[in-house]
Amino acid sequence: MSKVLIVMSAASVWERTDGSAYPTGYWAEELAAPHEKFVEAGHTVDFASPGGVLQPLDQHSADPEIAGEDCARYVAHAEKALREFGPLLKLEEVDIDDYVAVVLPGGHGPVVDLYRDTDLGRLLTAANASGKLIGAVCHGPAALLSAVDEEGNWLFAGRKMAAFTDEEEQMFGTAEGAPWLLAATLREKGADHSGGAAYQQYNVVDGNLFTGQNPASSARMAEDMIAALD
């Protein structure tokens, strides 16, 4: 039975340009939908984060007016999965050879810590070099920015990918005051970023890289990865 690693952020706040602290956490659907799909397909799923810190739930993802009428099911699934797994693995202690795929869910946390996490950068570099599958959804693609070489060259420059768009950030009300915008930064770093309609499912596959634009793209990302593993 193969194993999949879900790497979570450890951030609970997102510091804004005015110095205020915006509460953040994992987005329930982006964690639950892939976990559910991989488990149903017979894979074992582990969870890791910087320092093994358990990130809180982003309460916006539990609000049906924001996250949709299925959000309660995703919240329940995510909380149960994390509870049953127990203490998260420490990212710095993870052996990538144990896994066939790495998944990077969102919430705003990845733009706080994962985008510059050197342990994650080494893990993603090794995963990509050995052809393992890498999935990232919504703000999860920010974590891809951690994979740079000693000269500062980004591993995923030139790769096709989706991510939470600047338009969606503006619609969500978090673009103003954001230290940086994800989609714009990915393009500046050399990504071939494309986007679909706001808050509608949109996924991109480029070799071993599987990305989704927003929460609605989470399940499809996992389905695409499962098909590739099969």
Side-chain angles (χ1 to χ4, degrees):
M1 183 179 293
S2 57
K3 296 173 67 176
V4 174
L5 181 69
I6 293 181
V7 177
M8 301 172 62
S9 164
S12 58
V13 295
W14 182 24
E15 186 173 344
R16 314 290 286 165
T17 55
D18 63 1
S20 62
Y22 179 88
T24 191
Y26 68 87
W27 196 270
E29 182 175 0
E30 297 169 26
L31 187 147
H35 180 274
E36 184 176 44
K37 293 291 184 182
F38 281 114
V39 170
E40 287 177 350
H43 301 285
T44 298
V45 180
D46 287 353
F47 295 96
S49 73
V53 173
L54 178 58
Q55 188 184 36
L57 172 72
D58 187 323
Q59 293 301 320
H60 293 98
S61 71
D63 183 345
E65 293 188 3
I66 296 173
E69 59 185 19
D70 287 340
C71 68
R73 184 177 74 83
Y74 290 126
V75 169
H77 183 99
E79 291 180 339
K80 181 174 184 290
L82 289 166
R83 182 172 61 252
E84 291 181 349
F85 184 75
L88 270 62
L89 303 177
K90 295 181 179 179
L91 188 56
E92 57 270 26
E93 297 177 357
V94 168
D95 184 348
I96 193 58
D97 290 339
D98 293 339
Y99 302 94
V100 297
V102 180
V103 175
L104 305 159
H108 285 98
V111 305
V112 177
D113 58 1
L114 293 185
Y115 80 97
R116 57 183 178 182
D117 189 283
T118 56
D119 293 310
L120 178 58
R122 287 193 293 270
L123 185 151
L124 291 175
T125 298
N128 188 67
S130 58
K132 297 179 188 295
L133 305 190
I134 299 170
V137 65
C138 201
H139 288 85
L144 300 174
L145 294 169
S146 65
V148 294
D149 64 20
E150 294 180 355
E151 286 73 43
N153 299 308
W154 184 35
L155 178 66
F156 296 99
R159 300 291 293 273
K160 297 177 181 178
M161 64 183 70
F164 200 64
T165 66
D166 298 345
E167 176 192 9
E168 288 170 318
E169 200 79 72
Q170 291 162 355
M171 293 172 66
F172 196 70
T174 43
E176 184 176 355
W180 50 282
L181 294 176
L182 176 55
T185 299
L186 291 174
R187 290 191 295 269
E188 289 168 6
K189 297 292 185 180
D192 183 359
H193 171 271
S194 61
Y199 294 103
Q200 301 302 307
Q201 180 257 317
Y202 182 80
N203 293 78
V204 174
V205 178
D206 182 358
N208 67 325
L209 181 63
F210 300 75
T211 52
Q213 179 171 311
N214 45 39
S217 310
S218 305
R220 177 60 182 273
M221 177 195 68
E223 290 167 351
D224 288 342
M225 294 176 75
I226 291 164
L229 288 172
D230 291 343

